[in-house]
Structure formats: structure tokens, C-alpha cells
Amino acid sequence: MIKKVKNALAGSATEYHSDLLDPKVIPRGEHGISREGISDNALKVLYRLNSAGFDAYLVGGCVRDLIVGLQPKDFDVVTNATPDEVKSLFKNCRLIGRRFRLAHVVFGREIIEVATFRGHHQNSPDEKKKSPKEALGKQNQEGQILRDNVFGSIEEDAERRDFTINAMYYRVTDFTVTDFANGMQAIKNKRIELIGDPETRYREDPVRMIRAVRFAAKLNMQISESSAQAIHELGSLLSNIPPARLFEEVIKLFASGQGLSTFKLMQEFDLMQPLFPQLSPLLKDPKSRENQFIERVLINTDNRINTGLRVTPAFMYAAFLWYPIEEHTQKLMDEAGLNHFDAFNIAINDVLHRQIQRIMIPKRFSTTMREIWQLQLRLPKRFGRRAYQMLEHPRFRAAYDFLLLRGQVEGGALLELADWWTEFQEVSAEQRKNMLVKLREAEGGSARRPRRRRSSTKKPASS
């Protein structure tokens, strides 16, 4: 069993020891990082901070990715300058965050995030005798960090990093990398390992559990035994994370090009339950239609991302909640005697409401999700002008893709319907007319036709 909470929180709120660090300075010729792979805007930030007399480094994922040969999606800078001092150097800077105070230096669509070296928190047994550090840093009784604006040295900052592979600092003044926690060796060993005690680090920030899974899938690495064991026992702590923060984290999980492998690891570590409690019970059987559908959606998403095509989180979330909606619809029909249409719309509202208690889905995405779901009921209705009107619907393509994936999993009439729409999009206008005629004939003329009015002549009144 993992140690009790009180042991994890004994002493200082975030207790570290210098023996966790073994800093090594790696010269330019041994780490393989070139300025050609670094964003010009990130270099501008580094140079200006250095020119103003501050220390500044690239840190974290961008350094790790450059070392393993990947192109970073963003570049993070860390410095001994405070957020206010950073803001004074850059007119295009804005300060954000309450839990973590950060500076964002904005260059058009690119944002360079600048953080000040983090320091260690201190707890005082007497609440009235709080030091300035304690006022800037706060943890709850379970050890989760609620406020983290305690600044410190680069050594303290390195100890505060989550994983050993993320505690590497690139310095542009001499092109060296300072590796504080044997991150280079962890990369060679293909191991994801936390800095410090796994229970304490996960309790500080439960999101580290899904970050461990994401890095393992992205970098094709294994999570170390001690770091993995703690995930199994502490996964429920993810329910303490604000829903708005989890939305962004889940997008990183499943929309980074390794969605399928990430999904399988999330199931292995039982982390789907705290994120998608309505879906999780439906995933227990690996061969279930729910599992097959999610896997097909993620394969499709991975292919699009890895070929440079755009994806929308709305499609992914719509897929994750589709079968919970179907299940709840049937329950409402059986228990309340509702017709399918009414039960379906109530189920959409109920399932969405429950989900946003865990993951806050912005309205711009939930609106698209609703349209994708509702169009699943309209796609079978193809007579008259309906088929042509459907093609003009702004969400038709997303709804069709959704239907096609459902058909590939469920087969039968659903797959026939998806195949019909596939052909209807590709053929000529004349062939579309023929398809609709054949469809009407196949239905036995059951489609309603407008009735002609009969001209009636009034008989003259009898005299």
C-alpha cells in the first residue's frame, strides 16, 4: 500500500532533498540541440532577458523533444525575473493565472510562456504566523497545490519539475543543457519517472498522472514501476481537478497524434473512470462495440493529425458520449414511456450536464456535438428534398463521418445507410435522382406524396 496522506504531508508541504538532483552540464556537441530547431520568437525572449541581466533558459518539453528529434509545438522559458519584470521588458506581454502566475509574450499566433523559477512551499503549524512564502503558496489537506507563486532558485525549480525528462535546461548564451535529474539517461532507458516520491507528487497535482500516460504514449516509453503503481491507487484524485483545466488536458491526451495508444494506456491505468464516468462502464469488455467505436474514432483522428489535417474536439467528445446517450435514451423510453425523439433529446441534455461536472466543454464545441448527434436521426430520412437539404447542412460532413464509423462497427442496416450516403455524395445529379427513385421503390412507395385537390362543383340548391 502507498503511504498514508499524513506521512506524505509531514514536515513542509512540499519537501525535497538535494540528493534528488545530480546536475550535469552537457556541452553543445553532446545533446544535439541546434538553434535552427528553436523558434525565432523564443530566441528573442531569451536574448532580451539575458541582455537585461536575467538568467533565462528553455525548459521542459521543448528541450526534451529537441533531444529526441521531435519538433516542439511550443517553447517554454524559465527565468529568475519575476512576472512583473518580464512584463516591463515586453510590450507584447500579458500576465495570466492565479494558481500559477505566468507571463505570455505574444508574437501573432505564437505565444512564448515565461515562468519564474519556482521555490518550495512552507507550512507553519500556527496559521497566524504565515511567512510571505506561505501567503503565495497554498495546498489543501490532500496535498494538492492550490496556489503556487513561491519563487526560488534554478535548483529549486528543477526539484519542482514533475518528470526527470522535463528537468533539462537549455542556455542560449553557451548552448549547454543542464540536466538536473538524469533526464538524458531516462531518455536512453525509455523510462518515465517522477522526481521525488510519486504519491506526494501526484497529490500535489493529480494531472501528472495523465501527463505520465501522455508522455509514455508520445515518446514510446515505459512508466517506471513506482510511478505506475501510484497511478492505480490515486487515479480518483483527478475528480478534484477543476473541469475547465481538464478540458485542455484531455485534448492533449487524444488529439496529439497518438490517441489510440494513449487510450489503451488510460484504460490500463483505470483513468477513464474519473474523466468519463458515464462511458467507463461500457468499456469493460475490450470487444464491445463501445470500445471498437472509440478505437476507430481515435485511429481516424490520429491519421488526420499525422497527415496535417484539422480535427475538432467536438467530434471526439461526441464519440465518447454517443453510447451513454443511446443507453440513457433507451432507459427513458422504458421507464418514462417517452417516444424515441423526446427521450433522445432529454438524454443529450442529461449526459452533457453530467459530463461537464468532470470536464467543462465550451459551448462552441457542445453546440457542434449536439448537431452531430441530432443529425444521426435525420440521416435515415432521405425522401423528397431531404437528401439534398442534408448535403447543404454545415455539419453534414462531420455527421456523415460519424455515421460511417458507427456503421463500420455495428454493420447491418446502419452500414447500408452509410454506404448509401457515400455513393450519393459522389455520383452525378441524374444518378442522385435515380437513387432516390430506387429508394422509394425499395420502400414500397411508402413515402408520402402530396395529394391532389379535387375540384368540386356545388350542386344548385333545389328549388
Side-chain angles (χ1 to χ4, degrees), residues 319-364:
F320 282 6
L321 299 179
W322 171 252
Y323 285 113
I325 287 173
E326 275 206 335
E327 183 180 63
H328 192 46
T329 298
Q330 190 60 50
K331 182 180 178 181
L332 290 170
M333 292 172 66
D334 294 341
E335 296 181 358
L338 297 173
N339 62 54
H340 183 267
F341 179 82
D342 290 340
F344 182 74
N345 283 294
I346 293 172
I348 286 177
N349 291 331
D350 289 349
V351 169
L352 262 179
H353 176 74
R354 292 172 190 165
Q355 184 59 50
I356 63 176
Q357 307 306 309
R358 294 296 177 91
I359 302 173
M360 179 58 69
I361 304 172
K363 190 173 182 179
R364 67 183 185 277

Side-chain angles (χ1 to χ4, degrees), residues 78-116:
V78 68
T79 178
N80 60 349
T82 66
D84 288 329
E85 289 171 330
V86 175
K87 184 171 174 53
S88 69
L89 291 175
F90 298 92
K91 292 181 179 179
N92 53 330
C93 177
R94 65 188 182 208
L95 301 185
I96 67 161
R98 296 176 62 185
R99 180 173 175 267
F100 296 103
R101 194 67 167 159
L102 298 168
H104 277 182
V105 185
V106 182
F107 298 90
R109 299 184 65 179
E110 184 179 17
I111 296 175
I112 306 300
E113 187 171 279
V114 183
T116 305

Side-chain angles (χ1 to χ4, degrees), residues 165-380:
I165 57 174
N166 290 340
M168 294 184 287
Y169 296 66
Y170 174 81
R171 189 174 183 176
V172 75
T173 54
D174 58 8
F175 315 117
T176 60
V177 169
T178 304
D179 180 2
F180 280 93
N182 293 317
M184 289 289 284
Q185 190 61 46
I187 288 174
K188 291 177 183 177
N189 295 339
K190 289 187 170 292
R191 285 172 66 83
I192 305 294
E193 191 158 12
L194 281 158
I195 299 173
D197 174 59
E199 181 188 6
T200 303
R201 303 313 307 278
Y202 288 145
R203 287 190 180 280
E204 288 175 351
D205 187 0
V207 168
R208 286 171 178 154
M209 289 183 276
I210 58 179
R211 281 168 59 85
V213 168
R214 176 161 63 89
F215 293 148
K218 175 181 178 178
L219 303 170
N220 191 26
M221 293 183 177
Q222 296 291 321
I223 302 174
S224 71
E225 185 176 349
S226 61
S227 298
Q229 179 61 30
I231 294 177
H232 287 290
E233 303 207 21
L234 299 174
S236 61
L237 292 178
L238 283 168
S239 60
N240 297 334
I241 300 299
R245 184 181 176 203
L246 281 178
F247 175 76
E248 295 295 337
E249 293 295 337
V250 170
I251 290 178
K252 292 177 185 177
L253 273 176
F254 298 115
S256 297
Q258 301 85 25
L260 179 60
S261 56
T262 302
F263 173 68
K264 291 180 177 179
L265 279 176
M266 290 288 287
Q267 288 183 286
E268 179 183 332
F269 287 102
D270 302 318
L271 292 178
M272 291 298 290
Q273 171 60 35
L275 298 180
F276 296 95
Q278 298 172 96
L279 171 65
S280 184
L282 307 178
L283 300 177
K284 293 180 179 179
D285 180 5
K287 296 182 180 179
S288 67
R289 63 176 188 173
E290 292 83 1
N291 257 307
Q292 293 180 48
F293 181 58
I294 297 299
E295 289 185 5
R296 283 185 179 270
V297 168
L298 292 174
I299 289 171
N300 181 59
T301 300
D302 288 346
N303 289 338
R304 289 183 63 85
I305 291 171
N306 294 324
T307 54
L309 298 176
R310 293 180 61 186
V311 298
T312 171
F315 193 91
M316 179 188 71
Y317 277 100
F320 282 6
L321 299 179
W322 171 252
Y323 285 113
I325 287 173
E326 275 206 335
E327 183 180 63
H328 192 46
T329 298
Q330 190 60 50
K331 182 180 178 181
L332 290 170
M333 292 172 66
D334 294 341
E335 296 181 358
L338 297 173
N339 62 54
H340 183 267
F341 179 82
D342 290 340
F344 182 74
N345 283 294
I346 293 172
I348 286 177
N349 291 331
D350 289 349
V351 169
L352 262 179
H353 176 74
R354 292 172 190 165
Q355 184 59 50
I356 63 176
Q357 307 306 309
R358 294 296 177 91
I359 302 173
M360 179 58 69
I361 304 172
K363 190 173 182 179
R364 67 183 185 277
F365 296 123
S366 63
T367 299
T368 301
M369 292 161 60
R370 287 176 181 272
E371 290 180 306
I372 291 172
W373 292 329
Q374 290 165 344
L375 286 176
Q376 301 307 299
L377 300 190
R378 291 178 56 186
L379 282 166

